Amino acid sequence: MNNEENEPEADYKIVYSKNVIEFATVAREYCVFAENAEKYTKADYLKVASRMLPLLYMKGALLPDATLASEDALPEIVDYETYETVRRGISNRLTSHDNYVTTFKEDFQYSETPIAASISEDMADIYQDIRNFCEQYHCGDDAVMNDAVATVVEKFRTYWGQRAANALSAINAALYSGDDLTDEAPADETDTEDENEEESADTSAPDDGAPYFMRQMGMRLVDNKKKR
């Protein structure tokens, strides 16, 4: 008798459960948001982030436990260059409101003072795990999708969940500090554009690729066309 024929098929119904599907939806929105920081004003970016991060955290906390189907690690989709592109984009948008101090860093136990951190690094760290999940989850292979869920759950509990909480705390402080949140030129860029050149206002409907969360708040993307 063939033992393999008697082995029950693996049950991957969990990957189609309500909580997983909702997390995958929010995760994809977050990736779009993180990748397009330059399309927002600083104030709008902070406002959207202050709503998106708690929702992403909540959906991550509601993910069910999953057992890995394979001992082989899933391939990493986000490489260093992609990570840095996202991090720099967020940092250039937030400028002087990017950096903050925190006591929730792994190295803090060895330090007598708070550790310097940045919202852009936190959000890029989250992006790396979330983007990897999105690519793996949408591959169409139930076993890979199952392992993508198991992996993102484990990383939420050990890594990116805390990053989301840290970033939200800093974002909340920036939003309600009374500071001027007017856009600033990034510190590492030299403004060579003609300040007197004005762009025509875009009065079209706000269906310009803005994430769902932004459309719900009546916001729209900023048209940052490069001047030649």
Side-chain angles (χ1 to χ4, degrees):
M1 182 179 295
N2 190 335
N3 290 331
E4 293 184 359
E5 293 181 357
N6 295 328
E7 291 181 358
E9 293 184 3
D11 183 0
Y12 298 127
K13 291 180 180 179
I14 192 174
V15 305
Y16 302 107
S17 64
K18 177 177 180 289
N19 286 340
V20 171
I21 291 174
E22 288 183 353
F23 174 79
T25 301
V26 176
R28 175 152 293 200
E29 292 282 354
Y30 177 83
C31 290
V32 173
F33 175 63
E35 291 167 351
N36 291 278
E38 76 282 355
K39 296 182 179 179
Y40 298 78
T41 64
K42 181 196 289 189
D44 280 354
Y45 198 83
L46 288 169
K47 288 175 184 177
V48 177
S50 73
R51 293 160 172 79
M52 186 175 292
L53 286 172
L55 182 58
L56 184 66
Y57 186 99
M58 181 185 71
K59 295 302 181 182
L62 291 174
L63 284 171
D65 292 325
T67 302
L68 289 170
S70 172
E71 295 181 357
D72 297 331
L74 294 174
E76 297 285 327
I77 307 300
V78 179
D79 57 19
Y80 177 77
E81 182 178 355
T82 302
Y83 173 93
E84 273 297 295
T85 297
V86 170
R87 186 197 63 77
R88 284 196 303 268
I90 299 172
S91 180
N92 288 342
R93 173 50 60 225
L94 300 183
T95 53
S96 61
H97 290 87
D98 186 23
N99 296 323
Y100 67 97
V101 293
T102 181
T103 58
F104 289 99
K105 278 281 190 179
E106 292 81 357
D107 296 335
F108 180 70
Q109 60 181 314
Y110 306 111
S111 174
E112 296 180 355
T113 59
I115 302 296
S118 70
I119 296 171
S120 60
E121 184 175 350
D122 288 337
M123 294 188 68
D125 286 347
I126 297 167
Y127 169 83
Q128 186 171 31
D129 286 341
I130 297 303
R131 176 65 188 280
N132 284 333
F133 163 79
C134 286
E135 295 299 323
Q136 295 155 0
Y137 181 76
H138 289 92
C139 72
D141 183 310
D142 285 357
V144 174
M145 294 167 68
N146 174 84
D147 286 6
V149 174
T151 300
V152 81
V153 168
E154 190 273 335
K155 289 188 175 181
F156 166 75
R157 295 172 180 176
T158 61
Y159 192 73
W160 69 263
Q162 184 64 61
R163 290 295 186 276
N166 292 354
L168 180 60
S169 177
I171 289 168
N172 181 78
L175 273 175
Y176 303 111
S177 63
D179 290 350
D180 181 4
L181 297 179
T182 304
D183 289 344
E184 308 165 58
D188 59 348
E189 292 184 4
T190 301
D191 186 10
T192 59
E193 299 178 350
D194 183 1
E195 295 180 356
N196 295 322
E197 181 178 356
E198 298 182 357
E199 297 180 1
S200 59
D202 183 358
T203 58
S204 59
D207 185 15
D208 52 2
Y212 169 79
F213 302 94
M214 199 170 184
R215 298 196 301 273
Q216 288 294 95
M217 289 182 283
M219 299 178 184
R220 61 178 307 159
L221 299 180
V222 178
D223 185 7
N224 284 344
K225 297 179 180 177
K226 294 182 179 179
K227 302 184 180 77
R228 297 178 182 270

